Amino acid sequence: MRWLISHLLGRVAQEIRDWWSHSQRREYRKMLKRFSEDIQSITDLDYLASRSTELFTLGLESSSTCLLVPSRSSDDFVVLSAAGLIPSSQYILKSDSLILRWLKQNDGFLPRGDMDIIPQLQALSAKEKAEITQMGGELFIPLKNNGSLSGVIVLGSKRSGWPYWRSDYRLLSSVCPRVAVSLANAYLYQEIQQKQEQLTIVTELSKAITSSLDIKTVHHTLVRELKRLMDADLAVIVLTEGEGLKIAALSREPRVPLKLAQAISLWEPGIAWTRQHQKTLVEADLDRERKFSAEESLLGHGLRSVVYLPLPSRGKIFANFILCSHRPYAYGEKELSTLEQLSSQIAIAVENTRLYTLEREQRARLEALNRQRNEFILTISHELRTPLTSLKVSADILTKECGISGQSLPAELLANISSSAGRMERRISELLDFLKLQTATLELKLESVNVKQALQDTVASILPLTSAKKQAIAIDIPEPLPVARLDRQRLEQIMLNLLVNAHKYTPSGGKIKVSAQVDNSNLVLEVSDTGCGIPPEEQELIFTPYYHGRQPGTGLGIGLSLAKSLVELHGGKIWVESEPGEGSAFSFTIPLTADREVAQAFRSKL
Amino acid sequence: MLDKDELFASKERGRIWQKHCGFLRLPLGEFIDIQQRLLLEQIDLVADSPLGKKIIGQGKPKSVAEFRSLIPLTSYKDYQPYLAEKREDVLAEKPYCWAHTSGREGYFKWVPYTLRDYHRLIDFMITAFILASAAREGEVRFNPGARVMLDFLPRPYIGGQIAFGLNQRVPYQAIPPLEIFEMMENEEKMEMAFKMLLGGGVDFIFGAPSTLVAIGERFTEQLEQMEFSHLTSYPSLTFRLARAMLRSKMREVKLLPCDLWTVKGIISTGSDITIYHPEISRCWGTRPYNVYLAAEVGGIALPSWAKRGMIFTPYSAFLEFIPEEERGSEQPATVLLDEVESGKRYEIVTTNFYGMPFLRYRIGDIIKVVELEDEETNIRLPHVVFESRADEVIQISDSLWLDERKIRQAIHSSGVECEDWALCQEYIPDKVVLHLYLELKEETRNKEQISPSYLPVIECDGGNLMRRVDASPLKITLLYPGTFKCYYQGRQACGFAAAQLKPHRMNAPQSMIKELIRLSNQQPTDRM
C-alpha cells in the first residue's frame, strides 16, 4: 500500500513538473490532435507518414517513433517513416512474428514489458527481443481499419525516462484510429494510382507488342516496357534454340554492365530450373540465399532479387524473361501475379512474331522459287519459239518453192515439218498463256463478237481431225445469239481446247456436239461427246494444272486448267457432267458483257 | 544471479496471474505453435555445438517434422561421457549452474542449466506456488516474504537449485534459513523448522512426499510432547495452541500440525505422491500439490487451481509422446500433444529449449491422459497424471502390466503389515515368475497369512492375474525383519547419499536381491 501511494505521488509530481516545464509539449499534443482530425483528406502517403511520426515524437515526448506498414512484396511490416533517435530504421516485423500476430488478433497497445507477461509472447526468441531492444521499441500501437492491421507505430522510451502514462494512452486512443483510417485511405489511393499506371503500361505494352510483327521490335519493346513496369534494373529475354540459348534483347540501367547482362552462363542455371520445374523462379534476396553460385556476380553488382519467368508455347518453354532489381524482395505476390498475367500475352506475342517471321521467310523463298521457275519457262519458251518460227517459215517457203519449181520433195515430209512445228508453236503459246495467267499478266482484249461465227470458225478448224476419226460434229444453236463483248481469241481458245479433248476421248464414229444459248445475261456454251466419259473422282481434278488423268504423257496437262482460268477471267464458270462409258459434257458460262474489273479481281486472286 | 520478479514488487495481481498462469488459457493450437517456435530456436542454438552435432549430425533440420524424423530418441547414455565430466566445451552455451538428479539409478545425471532455462524453471515453481494456493482463477496468494518450509536435498540437487533460485526471484522467508539450510543435518533442520513454525507459522511447504510425511509425523510427535506450560513461550500461537491442546485432550486424538498452522499450499514433486498424499493431507490439512518436474527437463506439468490432473507448460521443453503400443520398438514413433487420446498411456520424450543439451530425450516416465479438456475450468489443454517410471513397470502381456502402486495396493489389501519389499522377474526353465521379497513388520510374521493364495488378485484391467498367467506366477520370499534397514545402513556406509538409498522396488536389480538375501540369511528365513 505504502509503495503504491509513493509511486502514485511520484507520478503525479512528475506529471505536474512535465506540464509546467513543457508547455511546448501541450502545443504539440494539440497539433497532433488537430492533425489527426484533418488527416483524412491527405492522400500523399509519404507526407502522412513523416508528419505523423514527427508529431508523435514531439507530442508524446518519445525518443523515437517508427511507422511500420505492410511491405509491397511480402506480408512483413517494414519501416515507412521514422523520427527521433532511431538506432536502426531497418527493423522488420516479420509476417510470422508473434508480435505481429498478437497485434492483429488483439486490440490495445503492447508495451514492451508485457511481452514477458502475455503467454503467447513469452515464446519470443532471444533474437527478436534483441532486435526490439536495438530499435528502442517501448510501445507497439496497432493501426487498425475495419479490423485489419494497416500499420504499426512503435514508440521508443519517453525522454523523461518514465513509462507512458494514462494521458498518453488517452491521446493515442483518440489519434491512432484516425491515423489508421487515413493510412488505409492513402494506401488505397496509392494502390489505385499504381493500378492505373500498371493498366496504362499493360495497355501500352499490349499495343506495342501487337502493333508490330517484326520480331526484333517486339523483343526490344518488351524488355524496355517491362523493365519500366516492374521498376527493374535489368530485363532480358533469352530464347531457347535447340539445345542452346540466345539473348534476344535486353534493357538495363547504366550501372549494370553490358557484359554481365549478356553472359549466357549467368542465366543458364535459372533457365534450366524453370524448364525442369515448369514454373517461375523467384530469388527474393541473393544476399540471404542463392540457388546458384553464378548469381554471386549479380550480387557483386548490387542486384539483390531475380525473377526467371518462363514463356511457354504448346507445352514447351521457348524463352525466358528475366528481371533483376537492386531491391531485395522486389518481386512479391502482386508483381508475380502481374507478370504471370502478362506472360501468356508476351508468350503469344513473341511466338506469333516468330512464326510470322518464319512464315514470311518461307513465303519469300517460295516466291523466289516461283519467280525462278516462271523466268525459266519464259526463257525456254522464247528460246524455243524463235527457232521454231524460223523452222515453220522455212518449211512453208520450201513447200511453196517446191510447188512452183515442180521439184518433187516428199510433200508428206514437208507437211509433217509444218504441222509439227505448228503443234510445237501451239504448245508453247499455251504454256506462255498459262504462265501469264499464273503471274496475273494476261490481259483480255474485249471486243464485240459474233459468237455464232466464232463457234463456226472454231469447229471448222477442227474438222480435219474429226473427219480423220469419222466423228460427227454438229453445232446446235436453237436461236439467234446476241453480240457479246468478250475476247474472241480466248473464246476460240477455250472452245478449241474442249473440242480437241472431245475429239481425243471420243472413239471413231462418235459424235461431238457444240451448243450455245443465252441464260439471263450469260452465254452458256457446251461441248458434249459420246466418248469414254470421266470417272466421278477425276471430274474435279481435271481442271487442275498438270493433271493428265486417263492418258498421261499426252500434252502438258494444262489445257483444261487454262480453259478454266480463261473462263473465270471473263467472270464465268466451267463445269463437267460425265458418265463413264457414256460421254461427257463440258459447259461454261461467259457474261455477255465481260468486265475488266472482274478480270482484275480474278488476277489478284492468283 | 536472477533478477527479482518486479511484478510481485508492484503487487499487480492480474498481471502476475497472466504471466505465470496465463498459459492455462492457451488454445491447443497456440500451445503447439509456441512449442514449435521454441524448438526451432533451440535447433539454431545447439546444432553447431559439438554435442549438438553428435546428436543431430551434420545437417541442421529446418522444420519440426524434419527434426522428428532425423534425430533418433536419446537417453542419458548418449550424453553421459560429456556431462558426467561437466564438459562445458561441448555445450552450445556456458551453463549458469549445474544440477543433478536424485541418483537412484546409482549415479548422478548431471544437467547443465543455461540462464534462460534456469529462469524458466524458477518461473515454473512460482506458477506452482501460485496455483497450489489458489482456490479460483486469478487468485494470487504467494507473495514476497511468504514463509516457506523447505525440505529437499541441497545443491547441486535440483531441489536445492530451485530453492535458491526462487528466493532470488521472489524473496521468501525460508524455514530453516537458506544460508544455513545446506549445512544442517535432517534432524537439526526439523528441530529448527519446528521452532520457527511455532514462533511464526508457515505459509507454504515444499519438499518430497515421503519426507513431508516424515516431517508431519515428527511434528505430530513433538506436538504430543507439548504441555500447557509451553503456551507462553509462543505468544503468537497461544490461543490456537491452547484450543488445539484442549480439543486433543478431550477427544483423545493426536495434535496434528494442521490444528496449529493453516498452510496455503504444500508443493511436492515425486512419483510416489499418490501413495503419501492421504497422510500428508491428514497431517497438514491441505492436499499436497504435486508438480511434475525432472532435473533433465525442468518444470514439465502441474495442476490448475482446480487440482484435477496436470497440465503441461509449453515453455520448458518440446513434448512428444510414445504410445503404449510403440514402446517395444527400437525407435518408436511419437505423437504430439494435439494427437494424444484420452484414457491412453504414453511415455514422455522431451527436447530442451534455451540451449540446454537434451534432444528427444526419454526421461523414462509414463503418464496417462485423463481428459483432453476440463469443462468446469474451461481449460482447453489435455490433463494428465503421472503413472510410473518406465523402468518400474513389469509388462506381463500386451494389456497386463504391474507397477509399484498396484503391488503396494495388493499388499495393503492382503492385510499384511509390510515394512518394505522388492519385486523382480526371475527365469526358471520354461517359465518367467514374479518373485516378491517381502519384509513384514515384526508383529505380523505369520506364515499362513502370506501364502500366495491369500495374496489377493491384482486388478489389471479387470482381469485376474492368477488366471492370466501360468499357475504359481508369484513366488514370495519373506525376509527377516530388519533386512531392509541393514541394507540401507550398508549403502549409507558405502557413501551413498540419502536419495540413492531408496531401492528399486520394481525390477529390483539382482545385486540388491542378493544383498537382501545375504542380510536376511544372517537369521533364519521362512521360504514359501
Side-chain angles (χ1 to χ4, degrees), chain A residues 373-522:
Chain A
R373 184 202 65 186
N374 293 341
E375 276 166 18
F376 177 69
I377 292 172
L378 208 60
T379 307
I380 293 265
S381 305
H382 280 301
E383 289 299 316
L384 288 175
R385 189 179 233 177
T386 312
L388 200 59
T389 307
S390 162
L391 187 67
K392 194 165 181 302
V393 164
S394 302
D396 286 342
I397 293 171
L398 210 56
T399 307
K400 213 188 254 180
E401 291 287 323
C402 285
I404 293 168
S405 66
Q407 284 175 6
S408 60
L409 272 174
E412 230 176 273
L413 270 175
L414 285 171
N416 268 345
I417 291 168
S418 189
S419 82
S420 295
R423 261 203 316 278
M424 277 182 74
E425 195 183 24
R426 276 198 301 279
R427 287 278 184 269
I428 291 166
S429 290
E430 227 175 48
L431 200 57
L432 282 171
D433 285 342
F434 179 71
L435 200 61
K436 280 183 187 168
L437 276 164
Q438 289 291 303
T439 54
T441 53
L442 191 139
E443 296 283 345
L444 292 177
K445 290 191 187 102
L446 298 177
E447 55 183 328
S448 299
V449 174
N450 184 336
V451 177
K452 186 172 175 179
Q453 187 62 53
L455 291 176
Q456 284 167 344
D457 290 345
T458 312
V459 168
S461 72
I462 202 175
L463 277 175
L465 292 174
T466 53
S467 305
K469 270 176 95 171
K470 292 187 176 43
Q471 290 165 334
I473 182 161
I475 299 179
D476 178 17
I477 302 174
E479 55 191 58
L481 292 174
V483 168
R485 185 165 171 77
L486 41 78
D487 188 325
R488 185 193 169 107
Q489 186 195 342
R490 300 301 174 190
L491 177 65
E492 286 174 359
Q493 191 177 1
I494 295 166
M495 286 304 299
L496 192 63
N497 217 299
L498 296 177
L499 284 167
V500 165
N501 280 344
H503 151 73
K504 216 190 285 181
Y505 295 106
T506 303
S508 301
K511 290 185 182 148
I512 298 171
K513 187 168 105 176
V514 173
S515 58
Q517 59 182 339
V518 173
D519 179 21
N520 288 330
S521 52
N522 286 317

Side-chain angles (χ1 to χ4, degrees), chain A residues 18-29:
Chain A
D18 283 351
W19 180 84
W20 189 260
S21 62
H22 298 288
S23 57
Q24 252 195 335
R25 181 181 141 204
R26 291 198 298 281
E27 281 309 306
Y28 286 134
R29 286 168 89 92

Side-chain angles (χ1 to χ4, degrees), chain B residues 247-464:
Chain B
R247 199 184 290 154
S248 158
K249 293 268 189 270
M250 282 166 63
R251 293 178 186 174
E252 290 175 7
V253 295
K254 281 185 188 172
L255 197 63
L256 295 172
C258 60
D259 294 327
L260 289 179
W261 302 294
T262 308
V263 179
K264 291 180 186 173
I266 302 177
I267 297 99
S268 72
T269 166
S271 55
D272 47 358
I273 185 60
T274 45
I275 301 164
Y276 296 111
H277 87 74
E279 186 57 29
I280 298 172
S281 302
R282 189 186 69 83
C283 223
W284 293 97
T286 305
R287 225 176 122 194
Y289 179 89
N290 197 46
V291 299
Y292 178 20
L293 65 85
E296 304 99 305
V297 183
I300 303 175
L302 71 185
S304 71
W305 61 91
K307 288 137 184 123
R308 281 194 295 271
M310 293 191 287
I311 301 146
F312 292 105
T313 166
Y315 309 114
S316 297
F318 184 75
L319 301 164
E320 294 176 77
F321 303 89
I322 303 173
E324 208 166 7
E325 58 272 16
E326 285 282 330
R327 284 190 55 231
S329 321
E330 188 139 330
Q331 279 294 325
T334 60
V335 299
L336 298 183
L337 190 62
D338 56 356
E339 296 166 300
V340 299
E341 293 173 43
S342 181
K344 286 201 165 171
R345 289 180 190 83
Y346 300 88
E347 184 186 334
I348 287 193
V349 173
T350 57
T351 297
N352 291 148
F353 295 143
Y354 316 120
M356 295 262 289
F358 298 104
L359 306 175
R360 299 203 85 208
Y361 181 73
R362 293 176 84 160
I363 323 171
D365 291 342
I366 295 181
I367 54 101
K368 180 180 173 181
V369 178
V370 292
E371 56 185 356
L372 295 178
E373 295 175 350
D374 188 333
E375 294 290 329
E376 201 182 300
T377 57
N378 208 25
I379 293 174
R380 300 288 169 202
L381 298 170
H383 290 53
V384 302
V385 293
F386 182 88
E387 278 272 302
S388 63
R389 295 278 306 162
D391 57 0
E392 288 176 2
V393 169
I394 293 176
Q395 199 87 20
I396 306 294
S397 67
D398 281 346
S399 60
L400 199 61
W401 47 275
L402 300 174
D403 60 16
E404 186 177 334
R405 192 161 36 104
K406 285 187 174 144
I407 300 296
R408 197 177 276 282
Q409 271 169 3
I411 295 171
H412 180 73
S413 306
S414 72
V416 297
E417 295 272 338
C418 162
E419 183 65 40
D420 216 329
W421 58 273
L423 182 73
C424 65
Q425 294 182 84
E426 285 176 5
Y427 301 88
I428 57 178
D430 301 329
K431 234 189 246 191
V432 172
V433 297
L434 296 174
H435 197 155
L436 180 68
Y437 293 85
L438 196 60
E439 179 185 322
L440 303 177
K441 283 195 193 311
E442 185 67 49
E443 57 275 19
T444 56
R445 227 185 118 224
N446 186 329
K447 202 162 94 173
E448 284 78 29
Q449 281 184 300
I450 31 156
S451 149
S453 59
Y454 279 97
L455 204 64
V457 295
I458 296 167
E459 286 300 320
C460 301
D461 302 321
N464 181 315

Side-chain angles (χ1 to χ4, degrees), chain A residues 1 3-4 96-98 101 105 111 113-114 116-129, chain B residues 7 9-11 15-16 18-23 26-27 30 33-34 37-38 41 116 120 123 315 354:
Chain A
M1 192 62 188
W3 175 87
L4 189 62
D96 61 351
S97 155
L98 287 171
R101 193 201 288 182
Q105 290 174 352
D114 280 8
D116 290 328
I117 292 173
I118 295 168
Q120 292 87 340
L121 300 181
Q122 287 184 37
L124 269 178
S125 66
K127 189 177 163 204
E128 280 177 277
K129 286 183 184 169
Chain B
L7 282 179
S10 69
K11 296 184 200 281
R15 286 159 69 79
I16 292 171
Q18 190 186 19
K19 176 176 177 177
H20 293 287
C21 310
F23 74 92
L26 286 172
E30 285 191 22
D33 185 61
I34 288 171
R37 280 173 185 271
L38 289 171
E41 188 192 355
R116 275 178 77 191
R120 192 44 85 176
D123 278 352
Y315 309 114
Y354 316 120

Side-chain angles (χ1 to χ4, degrees), chain B residues 147-150 173-176 189-205 215-216 219 222-223 226 234 236-237 240-241 257-258 260-263 284:
Chain B
R147 293 160 300 189
V148 181
M149 185 169 74
L150 307 165
Q173 189 187 334
I175 300 169
K189 284 182 207 173
M190 283 210 227
E191 197 66 46
M192 182 178 262
F194 185 70
K195 283 192 182 129
M196 287 179 75
L197 256 62
L198 285 173
V202 64
D203 297 311
F204 293 90
I205 304 175
I215 292 172
F219 279 23
Q222 286 183 282
L223 285 169
M226 288 192 78
Y234 307 104
S236 61
L237 275 180
R240 201 185 283 178
L241 191 54
C258 60
L260 289 179
W261 302 294
T262 308
V263 179
W284 293 97

